[in-house]
Amino acid sequence: MYKYSEKDTQFLVERVDQFEKQLNRYLSGELDEDKFRSLRLRNGLYMELHAHMLRVAIPYGILSSNQLRALADVADKYDRGFGHFTTRQNIQFNWIQLPEIANLLRDLTDVGLHAIQTSGKATRNITADPLSGLTEGEIEDARPYCELIRRWFNLHPEFSWLPGKFKIAINGAKLDETALRIHDLGLRLVKNKKGELGFSVYVGGGLGAAAMIGPETASFVPIEDILSYLESAMRIYNLKGRRDHQKKLRIKFLVRELGAAEFSRLVDEDWQQTKNDPELKLNLKELQSLKEDFELPIDPINLKGFRDEVDFNYSIWKKNNVRSHKVSGYSIVTISLTKLGSAPGDATSEQMRILAKLGDQYSSSEIRTTKRQTIVFPFVRKDEVFDLWKSLEENDLDSPHQGTLAQIVACPGRDYCDLAKAVSIPIATRVQERFNEMNKLLDIGDLNINISGCENSCAHHHIADIGLLGMQKNGEEYYQITLAGETLHETNIGKKLGPSVSSETVVDAVENIVNVFIDNRKSEEKFTDVFKRIGIEPFKEKVYG
Amino acid sequence: MVEIENPTTLINKDYESIELVTFAEWIEGFERLANLGVGLILEPGDDVYLIQNQLDLIDLIALDFSNFDDGRGYTQAYLLSKRWKYVGEIIGINAHLDQLQFMIRSGVTSYQLLESYKGSNEEDYSNGFSLCYQAAANNNGLNLQY
């Protein structure tokens, strides 16, 4: 598994030292609130409703078991014993005291973790498919590219004070688990006619109040030229992006105002000046070294004659939570943290330590996080899946919800976040209570519900089968419903169903929508297939009657 | 001697007093101002591309970093320094302590901190790291690792 070098760790220590000085200057009144806000955000530190929230980076969603243990220690030592895995594969701690931040960050440097650029108007954590390197048909494992690009934009002198935040996703698989076209910049690994490897580039996607799908700005950028291309895209954004309007800071507004063709032309014009600069070429030697670091820690095994255990609960869990692996003899196991009444993505320190221990025992000490706020064990022997399930069952981590309606994605909502207009977690709980029969969930099948407490769309409601967006109307909480968002096979933003519904009736509305789906689906049709075939009207009729 | 309206002066890196003109004044009268040894103040919103072919005529360019969250000055510095190989002084004015490392590595060759930072330890913020992860206009003596 890839680990930071001593030099990288030293860099993290130096960054903490610098941030501690900034923090002390703020606490002594030497640094004003506005400047400190800008600086602390670049270190993942938010002022939330009740305390400070710290977002720790989990680059492209990969953790070692030791790193997960360190996060559990942070949860106990500096928080109230839990952390929250986010939809961008990071982890957040919600009850941090300001004077303790530097010590917390210093603890994390020991295991190569940090909070650099997990917020603020700079390049954020780069997200990747949590199944990178594990599935058949991949064009290439995206992780070495994620790491090289992450490094390049780490405290980049030219691009650390952009007009708005800048989120990048990279996908090397056929299906898009990363939702790259709703990112500020998405990279898809592709091969050209000569079989050479490069990237298709999509710029200007995003959710929020003005959800947009990023248009393609370059169909093929050779891998060695990707850094210069990214710099050119960010340079045009840095110079021309809107800074005059708080709600138009993101690159999607620039791309929309200029038009995708003009934006692409400007980027290309700049890129022609730099693409041949040897200093900006991707370091292919380092790439090769990283590919070796990211090589799978397993070899095929022959399990001829192996017969899995027969157990009713196990078989349900296995159907939903276990996927096939490209390496014979292995499985990919998804562990859902979703429990009734708990915030999706929340994990206690005890759960983190159990997962770390089980990761050591069953998954080569590697653990991955996903944008659906679940945990993936990437390397589980098929003949040990049952034993793993038993251990998960003993620790109440055997939720068989993965891929079902009950695996709801929700932001912290108004209970925790001062930006939120409405609650998210209680709505998720009520939906789960309504659909609490496993037979019903299995019948409904793969259907996702995402709930955001405000237009910032942290729970990505636009790209869910059923999306709920919290809002306020005359002091009451209401929810706008969107249907049939998707990113896996193609990218579509969910369509608004109609007027928002009240908090009291929102769960009825969800049930009505699910019933329209069940009544109309043919054989294996998914929700988006049904929606495309029958249109929005039958859903409207049922919900608004 | 051609008169410069509303001159602003600044002390350059050689401790000489140099008169500055605004970007608008320069664009309007650069033929008149050329070879007078004047400097030019560039605000973040000024289009640096318009002076690309006139750099030989300008002794000093002052980039204004007073707005903490406006990062355009870093790209202006990069274009002047790295891409167009401007050999005059690129001075970051109204600079903030915490942004020195970004200014210097983007190509700023000298700086004047805002008064409020007087007495601060500049070294902590101009060069607090042992390595950098990207080639920039100026790697500032850091080991490049990428």
Side-chain angles (χ1 to χ4, degrees):
Chain A
M1 188 177 168
Y2 171 65
K3 270 179 74 175
Y4 283 179
S5 68
E6 277 181 28
K7 287 178 184 171
D8 295 316
T9 307
Q10 178 59 26
F11 177 86
L12 299 184
V13 171
E14 289 162 356
R15 181 70 188 106
V16 175
D17 290 345
Q18 190 183 63
F19 185 62
E20 186 174 34
K21 285 171 190 155
Q22 291 168 330
L23 177 63
N24 289 338
R25 281 167 51 221
Y26 169 70
L27 292 173
S28 70
E30 205 181 313
L31 193 58
D32 69 44
E33 189 70 46
D34 282 350
K35 286 191 210 65
F36 183 64
R37 180 178 181 276
S38 193
L39 294 168
R40 69 170 160 79
L41 286 175
R42 282 169 175 76
N43 241 312
L45 187 62
Y46 285 75
M47 186 62 215
E48 290 286 90
L49 211 51
H50 307 292
H52 281 85
M53 183 274 275
L54 182 74
R55 184 180 294 146
V56 176
I58 303 177
Y60 29 92
I62 297 182
L63 283 171
S64 69
S65 49
N66 280 339
Q67 287 175 322
L68 188 53
R69 276 188 200 93
L71 292 170
D73 291 345
V74 163
D76 281 340
K77 196 169 165 188
Y78 302 100
D79 197 286
R80 294 182 177 179
F82 66 91
H84 175 82
F85 290 100
T86 75
T87 52
R88 294 202 78 247
Q89 300 176 294
N90 293 316
I91 187 166
Q92 293 177 180
F93 296 101
N94 285 308
W95 300 96
I96 304 299
Q97 297 306 311
L98 201 53
E100 295 182 335
I101 293 285
N103 288 336
L104 187 168
L105 291 170
R106 211 164 267 128
D107 287 357
L108 290 178
T109 60
D110 293 341
V111 289
L113 287 172
H114 61 85
I116 298 170
Q117 289 168 210
T118 52
S119 181
K121 294 170 182 176
T123 314
R124 302 289 192 85
N125 187 24
I126 293 170
T127 47
D129 184 343
L131 307 183
S132 292
L134 308 181
T135 53
E136 291 288 359
E138 214 176 29
I139 293 154
E140 182 133 324
D141 186 344
R143 293 172 301 162
Y145 301 94
C146 290
E147 175 57 15
L148 280 174
I149 292 168
R150 181 200 69 80
R151 282 186 201 172
W152 188 266
F153 291 101
N154 196 352
L155 298 192
H156 194 296
E158 192 184 343
F159 306 118
S160 287
W161 308 87
L162 294 168
K165 55 188 164 186
F166 202 84
K167 296 176 177 176
I168 297 176
I170 307 178
N171 185 33
K174 280 183 183 165
L175 296 180
D176 182 12
E177 292 273 3
T178 67
L180 66 90
R181 293 189 70 185
I182 55 126
H183 281 72
D184 295 290
L185 193 145
L187 297 175
R188 188 194 303 279
L189 275 155
V190 291
K191 282 187 175 163
N192 65 9
K193 284 179 187 166
K194 292 181 195 163
E196 295 159 333
L197 199 61
F199 293 97
S200 299
V201 187
Y202 301 85
V203 185
L207 299 179
M212 292 179 210
I213 297 171
E216 186 181 77
T217 61
S219 58
F220 187 82
V221 175
I223 53 165
E224 58 269 32
D225 294 333
I226 193 61
L227 296 174
S228 54
Y229 188 89
L230 291 173
E231 284 207 348
S232 290
M234 283 192 219
R235 188 166 294 122
I236 299 304
Y237 174 46
N238 195 32
L239 284 177
K240 295 184 182 294
R242 296 284 298 265
R243 292 175 188 268
D244 60 327
H245 195 302
Q246 274 304 310
K247 294 200 166 179
K248 295 189 174 175
L249 299 173
R250 301 287 288 274
I251 196 170
K252 63 186 176 182
F253 294 103
L254 176 67
V255 174
R256 187 173 70 175
E257 284 173 18
L258 289 174
E262 175 62 4
F263 178 81
S264 304
R265 188 192 69 74
L266 289 170
V267 172
D268 194 62
E269 189 178 83
D270 189 85
W271 187 42
Q272 295 310 318
Q273 310 281 316
T274 59
K275 63 189 286 191
N276 294 322
D277 183 343
E279 287 193 331
L280 301 184
K281 295 283 182 187
L282 197 77
N283 184 342
L284 297 178
K285 204 173 145 195
E286 187 62 18
L287 176 67
Q288 188 51 42
S289 167
L290 281 170
K291 283 184 179 179
E292 288 163 19
D293 288 336
F294 281 106
E295 268 179 12
L296 303 190
I298 53 172
D299 292 314
I301 42 175
N302 185 350
L303 293 177
K304 206 173 169 188
F306 164 69
R307 279 175 179 256
D308 210 350
E309 300 282 337
V310 179
D311 179 289
F312 180 71
N313 288 336
Y314 172 57
S315 65
I316 290 172
W317 175 84
K318 191 176 165 187
K319 182 178 184 301
N320 289 337
N321 295 49
V322 180
R323 299 174 65 149
S324 63
H325 204 295
K326 76 175 182 187
V327 179
S328 65
Y330 282 86
S331 294
I332 304 162
V333 173
T334 302
I335 298 165
S336 168
L337 298 166
T338 305
K339 287 276 171 224
L340 209 59
S342 71
D346 268 6
T348 64
S349 56
E350 192 193 344
Q351 287 174 326
M352 289 185 225
R353 288 196 188 92
I354 291 164
L355 288 169
K357 185 178 156 214
L358 295 176
D360 282 337
Q361 209 172 337
Y362 295 106
S363 182
S364 303
S365 302
E366 185 173 319
I367 290 137
R368 299 188 183 183
T369 58
T370 79
K371 75 178 171 62
R372 290 204 69 78
Q373 300 173 290
T374 55
I375 300 294
V376 167
F377 275 17
F379 310 115
V380 183
R381 282 177 64 116
K382 279 186 176 167
D383 55 355
E384 292 181 350
V385 172
F386 182 78
D387 295 338
L388 169 61
W389 173 74
K390 286 297 281 181
S391 299
L392 291 169
E393 190 187 34
E394 281 164 22
N395 292 290
D396 204 19
L397 283 166
D398 60 328
S399 170
H401 288 149
Q402 169 60 24
T404 73
L405 177 154
Q407 179 62 48
I408 293 171
V409 174
C411 69
R414 207 176 171 201
D415 292 323
Y416 300 98
C417 175
D418 64 354
L419 299 174
K421 300 275 189 271
V423 298
S424 303
I425 297 161
I427 301 295
T429 305
R430 283 171 51 204
V431 172
Q432 287 162 340
E433 282 168 348
R434 183 71 61 95
F435 295 92
N436 65 356
E437 280 179 35
M438 185 45 76
N439 283 342
K440 176 86 171 169
L441 287 174
L442 289 174
D443 179 43
I444 296 165
D446 186 2
L447 189 146
N448 50 63
I449 298 178
N450 293 24
I451 309 172
S452 298
C454 76
E455 283 181 337
N456 286 311
S457 314
C458 293
H460 301 174
H461 63 276
H462 297 94
I463 54 170
D465 291 314
I466 303 173
L468 302 179
L469 164 66
M471 52 180 57
Q472 287 272 320
K473 267 190 188 175
N474 303 322
E476 302 283 325
E477 295 188 356
Y478 274 71
Y479 295 84
Q480 185 186 82
I481 300 172
T482 47
L483 298 183
E486 60 179 332
T487 63
L488 207 54
H489 299 274
E490 56 184 273
T491 307
N492 285 309
I493 301 289
K495 315 290 178 303
K496 273 187 206 169
L497 182 66
S500 57
V501 298
S502 69
S503 175
E504 288 72 35
T505 58
V506 66
V507 179
D508 294 335
V510 169
E511 188 172 21
N512 283 331
I513 290 163
V514 172
N515 286 338
V516 173
F517 162 59
I518 292 170
D519 292 346
N520 285 278
R521 74 177 163 190
K522 293 178 183 170
S523 62
E524 295 293 302
E525 271 189 324
K526 294 191 180 306
F527 186 87
T528 46
D529 298 330
V530 172
F531 185 88
K532 281 171 197 161
R533 186 165 52 74
I534 69 173
I536 203 165
E537 284 307 322
F539 295 96
K540 270 188 176 172
E541 280 168 25
K542 190 87 174 176
V543 170
Y544 301 109
Chain B
M1 179 81 186
V2 179
E3 189 183 344
I4 299 170
E5 289 173 28
N6 306 317
T8 308
T9 59
L10 182 140
I11 307 298
N12 69 10
K13 66 178 171 22
D14 299 321
Y15 300 101
E16 298 161 344
S17 176
I18 186 162
E19 291 190 335
L20 301 176
V21 296
T22 66
F23 186 75
E25 284 168 339
W26 175 265
I27 294 298
E28 191 187 326
F30 74 91
E31 285 159 337
R32 179 173 62 88
L33 297 166
N35 302 318
L36 286 183
V38 297
L40 167 64
I41 299 179
L42 217 56
E43 302 285 341
D46 293 333
D47 185 357
V48 65
Y49 289 91
L50 295 179
I51 58 167
Q52 181 184 347
N53 298 319
Q54 302 162 5
L55 297 177
D56 290 347
L57 309 175
I58 309 169
D59 273 17
L60 172 149
I61 297 175
L63 303 179
D64 187 350
F65 286 91
S66 55
N67 184 340
F68 196 73
D69 284 317
D70 194 329
R72 288 176 286 188
Y74 305 101
T75 287
Q76 290 172 334
Y78 157 80
L79 289 169
L80 291 166
S81 168
K82 176 104 190 260
R83 184 169 301 177
W84 300 330
K85 314 273 186 266
Y86 176 62
V87 293
E89 183 175 348
I90 305 172
I91 181 167
I93 59 169
N94 301 318
H96 295 277
L97 189 64
D98 303 279
Q99 296 179 323
L100 291 181
Q101 69 193 69
F102 302 96
M103 287 168 48
I104 293 167
R105 293 204 54 225
S106 292
V108 165
T109 56
S110 59
Y111 59 82
Q112 284 185 358
L113 283 170
L114 285 164
E115 278 291 304
S116 54
Y117 296 106
K118 240 180 184 168
S120 301
N121 186 354
E122 294 168 30
E123 182 66 16
D124 287 344
Y125 301 95
S126 60
N127 195 9
F129 292 95
S130 51
L131 65 88
C132 62
Y133 286 105
Q134 61 293 110
N138 174 6
N139 288 346
N140 201 21
L142 304 177
N143 293 314
L144 177 61
Q145 178 165 326
Y146 76 98

